[in-house]
Amino acid sequence: MTLPATNQRIDGKRLWDSLMAMAEIGATPKGGVRRLTLTEVDRQGRDRFRAWCEALGLAVRVDAVGNMFARREGRDPTRPPVLMGSHLDSQPSGGKFDGALGVIGGLEVMRTLGDLGIVTEAPIELVNWTDEEGSRFGHSLLGSGAWAGVYPHDKVFALRDGEGVSVAEALDAIGYRGPHPAAPFLADAYFELHIEQGPILEHEEKLIGVVTGAQAQVWFDAVITGRDSHAGTTPPYARRDALVAAARVIDLVDRLMRDRGEDGRGTVGQLQVIPNSRNVIPGEVRFSVEFRHPASAEVERLADEFPALAQAAIAGTGCTLDLTELFRFGLQPFDPGCVDLVRQAARRLGYPAREIVSGAGHDAVYVSRLIPTAMIFTPCKDGLSHNEEESIRPEEAAAGCQVLFEAVLARANRER
Amino acid sequence: MTLPATNQRIDGKRLWDSLMAMAEIGATPKGGVRRLTLTEVDRQGRDRFRAWCEALGLAVRVDAVGNMFARREGRDPTRPPVLMGSHLDSQPSGGKFDGALGVIGGLEVMRTLGDLGIVTEAPIELVNWTDEEGSRFGHSLLGSGAWAGVYPHDKVFALRDGEGVSVAEALDAIGYRGPHPAAPFLADAYFELHIEQGPILEHEEKLIGVVTGAQAQVWFDAVITGRDSHAGTTPPYARRDALVAAARVIDLVDRLMRDRGEDGRGTVGQLQVIPNSRNVIPGEVRFSVEFRHPASAEVERLADEFPALAQAAIAGTGCTLDLTELFRFGLQPFDPGCVDLVRQAARRLGYPAREIVSGAGHDAVYVSRLIPTAMIFTPCKDGLSHNEEESIRPEEAAAGCQVLFEAVLARANRER
């Protein structure tokens, strides 16, 4: 299938203004955004998004885990919808564009369709997935994962944040526990526009990343148990310092990453010390470990070898290490047909583009297990993301949105 | 001066029963004690202590920061009193004996003097110092420090806990803001009985620790700054991981401690990761560093060398380290005469004893800046303290109390 010739254009200024308007919600002094999932701030963002959609005459429905779907009907009611979207939640100290670009970009696509009086063959639905970031409840891609059946709902509702608030309680608190089941429905395709969150496109001066799939990854939870005792009175031979043991594992993760060269990823991002008192030797340390690589085989090897290497690393500390593998998945390839629509749109528009494998997890990864999926990346300054200094240029946002518009339009109007 | 021959004995069972009676106040399910300073639970402990003292005919007075002094008159009203005591407050999840042994042990000394109809030359005062632990208001040795003039009173009263309650408000709330100024008065000596809070006495099968002084210490605050960025998309060459850098400093602190053998102490007890999210490379890590050693010169060397060694340790991580030295003090020696009274008492009683330097801070450390002071240590199981499993044997408590009795009696009756 090929794209129809078109001079139909999205409104880059309107897109940018709406991105900035959304960024006001949870804005931080340093120019970033703190819009943690299912908080009061998240509710404000959701309400503004819902109001924008309803102003376009879109019907907004919410499912049991708070995923939002804004539907624009097509000419043929028998056709399954074409989905597009991303997420509005952010990291604790995140940027304006991670997630928001895909949702607000989809909104601009809807607005442009309305301006131009276009009625597509298939319906189009714009999605705001709940809790993509995982910073509050510890599981990223929570909403899309629940929708796709990756996470059992009982487990999702029971997850608790640092204050002991459950997902179910948080959903009720902001009024976004919707009546619709969080279950997959038949859809024709899913397109997600997102910033690259890495330095590659900017480094190679490309405007569009044609995302062919997502990196393989494995995530662990680690608990090191020592013994808390008095820092001033406990001699070296009697110490079982869980933080000293954790430091060795952190160093190991970094070395295992660097052993794999530029494609390696290995990170301890979250760590908690117990009791965390100045003059008490830490008795327990809990932390996260993750590895990623474009090659499934490398992640398999890391996932299999890491536990024994970590146990060896803490030998002699008097501590014990308990590792739980949270999940492991290989390279997730996207749908060739959908990817080709993105490739063709970029080419037709004359945007410098390259194929790229996503280093980050995205809602598209879980959706693609059930629905033909593709992603569009745009550059971000210095490859910075999950950072308040995250920054993109308006013309980059507009280019990504134009590609999304043309890919979605082509898919929604394709012959069957 | 030498000790008088005596077969006067304290009542070990009565001592133990009173320790257990005090441990009922703030008892935790795990067998520990939670008696945070100036709380309702602390008030109950203070009231019970006051009632016990008044039943002996002791006059109890309370000073402006809640320190309690129970006085037993001597034959010579011109003599300054001999002080003994410790503290009744505990850590959030503390044990039955840390602090309580010194106060209840002193009470048993008073009861024994009464039973035996002894009138000492000098008066004797039993002290319960306010807030030794520092867990609620953030400054340990608060009551003895205020008494000794280490902390200005305005500052002490203005300190606030996590809920914003000030020391002044907490004192009023439990009715222990006394009429007497919290100022040092002339005293002849101070003796404090305390559990070792370390494993050395148990390890060497000693019953009594003759404490010759308190360790030299230096405390730092450390802040490592890197750059928070996406864990999945940021290649190794572009990472500035503050936690990887912190791990190297934690390892350095441990090595510097072990380089100094059994007397070395080096601990990172408190650590905070920012933003502390699973898939974000940590951009900032804040942590505490402390070193202790019986030799002032070793602490001086550590304090001077550590900053440069730490900077070298994080070289190549792309991070910066900012170190702030909070305080540094040398070995605080106790009074040779008072220490010798403890040594002689242990020898006369045939208790296996050794000289020991206190690794922990104690009220005795501040008191000793003004008044001739000594401490008596008794073993605790596995050296455990600041832990609900803190445990000692009744015969160990009795031995320590007997030494306290004989040292205080000798001091109070010495010729001048």
Short mmCIF file of all heavy atoms in Angstrom, two decimals, chain B residues 387-413:
data_model
loop_
_atom_site.label_atom_id
_atom_site.label_comp_id
_atom_site.label_asym_id
_atom_site.label_seq_id
_atom_site.Cartn_x
_atom_site.Cartn_y
_atom_site.Cartn_z
N ASN B 387 18.45 -1.94 68.23
CA ASN B 387 17.82 -3.10 67.59
C ASN B 387 16.92 -3.74 68.65
O ASN B 387 17.31 -3.85 69.81
CB ASN B 387 18.92 -4.08 67.16
CG ASN B 387 18.38 -5.23 66.33
OD1 ASN B 387 17.42 -5.89 66.74
ND2 ASN B 387 18.98 -5.46 65.18
N GLU B 388 15.72 -4.17 68.22
CA GLU B 388 14.78 -4.73 69.20
C GLU B 388 15.28 -6.02 69.82
O GLU B 388 14.80 -6.46 70.86
CB GLU B 388 13.42 -4.96 68.53
CG GLU B 388 12.70 -3.67 68.19
CD GLU B 388 11.48 -3.89 67.31
OE1 GLU B 388 11.65 -3.88 66.07
OE2 GLU B 388 10.39 -4.09 67.85
N GLU B 389 16.26 -6.65 69.16
CA GLU B 389 16.79 -7.92 69.69
C GLU B 389 17.89 -7.71 70.72
O GLU B 389 18.47 -8.67 71.24
CB GLU B 389 17.29 -8.79 68.54
CG GLU B 389 16.16 -9.35 67.69
CD GLU B 389 16.68 -9.95 66.40
OE1 GLU B 389 17.81 -10.49 66.40
OE2 GLU B 389 15.96 -9.86 65.39
N GLU B 390 18.21 -6.45 71.03
CA GLU B 390 19.22 -6.13 72.05
C GLU B 390 18.93 -6.96 73.31
O GLU B 390 17.79 -7.02 73.75
CB GLU B 390 19.09 -4.64 72.35
CG GLU B 390 20.03 -4.09 73.39
CD GLU B 390 19.68 -2.62 73.64
OE1 GLU B 390 20.14 -1.77 72.87
OE2 GLU B 390 18.90 -2.36 74.59
N SER B 391 19.97 -7.62 73.83
CA SER B 391 19.74 -8.53 74.96
C SER B 391 20.96 -8.64 75.86
O SER B 391 22.10 -8.64 75.38
CB SER B 391 19.38 -9.91 74.37
OG SER B 391 19.54 -10.91 75.35
N ILE B 392 20.72 -8.69 77.17
CA ILE B 392 21.80 -8.93 78.14
C ILE B 392 21.31 -9.95 79.17
O ILE B 392 20.11 -10.21 79.28
CB ILE B 392 22.24 -7.63 78.87
CG1 ILE B 392 21.12 -7.13 79.81
CG2 ILE B 392 22.62 -6.56 77.87
CD1 ILE B 392 21.53 -5.93 80.65
N ARG B 393 22.25 -10.51 79.96
CA ARG B 393 21.87 -11.50 80.99
C ARG B 393 21.77 -10.80 82.34
O ARG B 393 22.52 -9.86 82.61
CB ARG B 393 22.89 -12.63 81.01
CG ARG B 393 22.78 -13.54 79.78
CD ARG B 393 23.75 -14.72 79.80
NE ARG B 393 25.14 -14.28 79.58
CZ ARG B 393 26.10 -14.42 80.47
NH1 ARG B 393 25.84 -14.98 81.65
NH2 ARG B 393 27.32 -14.01 80.20
N PRO B 394 20.85 -11.27 83.21
CA PRO B 394 20.66 -10.63 84.53
C PRO B 394 21.97 -10.52 85.31
O PRO B 394 22.24 -9.50 85.95
CB PRO B 394 19.67 -11.56 85.23
CG PRO B 394 18.89 -12.19 84.12
CD PRO B 394 19.87 -12.36 82.99
N GLU B 395 22.82 -11.55 85.23
CA GLU B 395 24.07 -11.49 86.01
C GLU B 395 25.02 -10.43 85.47
O GLU B 395 25.82 -9.86 86.21
CB GLU B 395 24.75 -12.87 86.05
CG GLU B 395 25.01 -13.50 84.70
CD GLU B 395 23.86 -14.36 84.19
OE1 GLU B 395 22.68 -14.02 84.44
OE2 GLU B 395 24.15 -15.37 83.54
N GLU B 396 24.90 -10.13 84.18
CA GLU B 396 25.73 -9.06 83.61
C GLU B 396 25.25 -7.70 84.13
O GLU B 396 26.05 -6.83 84.50
CB GLU B 396 25.67 -9.11 82.08
CG GLU B 396 26.31 -10.37 81.51
CD GLU B 396 25.97 -10.61 80.05
OE1 GLU B 396 24.93 -10.08 79.56
OE2 GLU B 396 26.73 -11.33 79.38
N ALA B 397 23.93 -7.54 84.16
CA ALA B 397 23.37 -6.28 84.68
C ALA B 397 23.77 -6.09 86.14
O ALA B 397 24.20 -5.01 86.57
CB ALA B 397 21.85 -6.29 84.54
N ALA B 398 23.67 -7.18 86.92
CA ALA B 398 23.99 -7.11 88.35
C ALA B 398 25.47 -6.77 88.57
O ALA B 398 25.81 -5.95 89.43
CB ALA B 398 23.64 -8.43 89.03
N ALA B 399 26.33 -7.38 87.76
CA ALA B 399 27.78 -7.12 87.91
C ALA B 399 28.08 -5.64 87.64
O ALA B 399 28.80 -4.98 88.40
CB ALA B 399 28.57 -8.02 86.96
N GLY B 400 27.50 -5.12 86.57
CA GLY B 400 27.73 -3.71 86.25
C GLY B 400 27.21 -2.80 87.34
O GLY B 400 27.87 -1.82 87.73
N CYS B 401 26.05 -3.15 87.88
CA CYS B 401 25.44 -2.33 88.93
C CYS B 401 26.26 -2.38 90.22
O CYS B 401 26.43 -1.38 90.91
CB CYS B 401 24.01 -2.82 89.19
SG CYS B 401 23.11 -1.83 90.37
N GLN B 402 26.83 -3.56 90.52
CA GLN B 402 27.66 -3.71 91.73
C GLN B 402 28.91 -2.83 91.61
O GLN B 402 29.32 -2.17 92.58
CB GLN B 402 28.05 -5.17 91.92
CG GLN B 402 28.81 -5.45 93.21
CD GLN B 402 27.96 -5.27 94.47
OE1 GLN B 402 26.76 -5.54 94.46
NE2 GLN B 402 28.56 -4.76 95.53
N VAL B 403 29.50 -2.80 90.40
CA VAL B 403 30.69 -1.96 90.18
C VAL B 403 30.30 -0.49 90.33
O VAL B 403 31.01 0.29 90.98
CB VAL B 403 31.31 -2.23 88.79
CG1 VAL B 403 32.39 -1.20 88.47
CG2 VAL B 403 31.89 -3.64 88.73
N LEU B 404 29.13 -0.13 89.78
CA LEU B 404 28.65 1.25 89.90
C LEU B 404 28.49 1.62 91.38
O LEU B 404 28.97 2.66 91.84
CB LEU B 404 27.31 1.42 89.17
CG LEU B 404 26.65 2.79 89.27
CD1 LEU B 404 27.48 3.86 88.55
CD2 LEU B 404 25.23 2.75 88.71
N PHE B 405 27.86 0.71 92.12
CA PHE B 405 27.64 0.93 93.56
C PHE B 405 28.96 1.20 94.29
O PHE B 405 29.10 2.19 95.01
CB PHE B 405 26.95 -0.29 94.16
CG PHE B 405 26.82 -0.28 95.66
CD1 PHE B 405 25.81 0.43 96.28
CD2 PHE B 405 27.73 -0.97 96.45
CE1 PHE B 405 25.71 0.44 97.68
CE2 PHE B 405 27.63 -0.95 97.84
CZ PHE B 405 26.62 -0.25 98.45
N GLU B 406 29.94 0.36 94.05
CA GLU B 406 31.19 0.49 94.80
C GLU B 406 31.98 1.72 94.38
O GLU B 406 32.59 2.40 95.21
CB GLU B 406 32.00 -0.79 94.67
CG GLU B 406 31.19 -2.00 95.12
CD GLU B 406 32.00 -3.18 95.63
OE1 GLU B 406 33.25 -3.09 95.63
OE2 GLU B 406 31.38 -4.18 96.01
N ALA B 407 31.95 2.05 93.09
CA ALA B 407 32.68 3.23 92.61
C ALA B 407 32.04 4.51 93.15
O ALA B 407 32.73 5.41 93.64
CB ALA B 407 32.70 3.24 91.08
N VAL B 408 30.71 4.57 93.10
CA VAL B 408 30.01 5.76 93.59
C VAL B 408 30.19 5.91 95.11
O VAL B 408 30.48 7.00 95.62
CB VAL B 408 28.50 5.67 93.24
CG1 VAL B 408 27.70 6.73 94.01
CG2 VAL B 408 28.30 5.85 91.73
N LEU B 409 30.08 4.79 95.82
CA LEU B 409 30.24 4.82 97.28
C LEU B 409 31.64 5.30 97.64
O LEU B 409 31.82 6.17 98.51
CB LEU B 409 29.99 3.42 97.85
CG LEU B 409 29.90 3.30 99.36
CD1 LEU B 409 28.76 4.16 99.91
CD2 LEU B 409 29.71 1.85 99.78
N ALA B 410 32.63 4.78 96.96
CA ALA B 410 34.03 5.17 97.25
C ALA B 410 34.24 6.65 96.97
O ALA B 410 34.86 7.37 97.75
CB ALA B 410 34.98 4.32 96.39
N ARG B 411 33.68 7.10 95.86
CA ARG B 411 33.87 8.51 95.50
C ARG B 411 33.17 9.43 96.51
O ARG B 411 33.72 10.46 96.92
CB ARG B 411 33.33 8.77 94.09
CG ARG B 411 33.54 10.19 93.59
CD ARG B 411 34.98 10.44 93.15
NE ARG B 411 35.17 11.82 92.69
CZ ARG B 411 36.26 12.27 92.09
NH1 ARG B 411 37.29 11.45 91.88
NH2 ARG B 411 36.36 13.52 91.70
N ALA B 412 31.98 9.01 96.90
CA ALA B 412 31.19 9.86 97.81
C ALA B 412 31.78 9.91 99.21
O ALA B 412 31.54 10.85 99.97
CB ALA B 412 29.75 9.36 97.86
N ASN B 413 32.58 8.89 99.54
CA ASN B 413 33.17 8.83 100.88
C ASN B 413 34.65 9.16 100.90
O ASN B 413 35.30 9.02 101.94
CB ASN B 413 32.95 7.44 101.49
CG ASN B 413 31.50 7.22 101.87
OD1 ASN B 413 30.76 8.17 102.10
ND2 ASN B 413 31.10 5.96 101.92
#
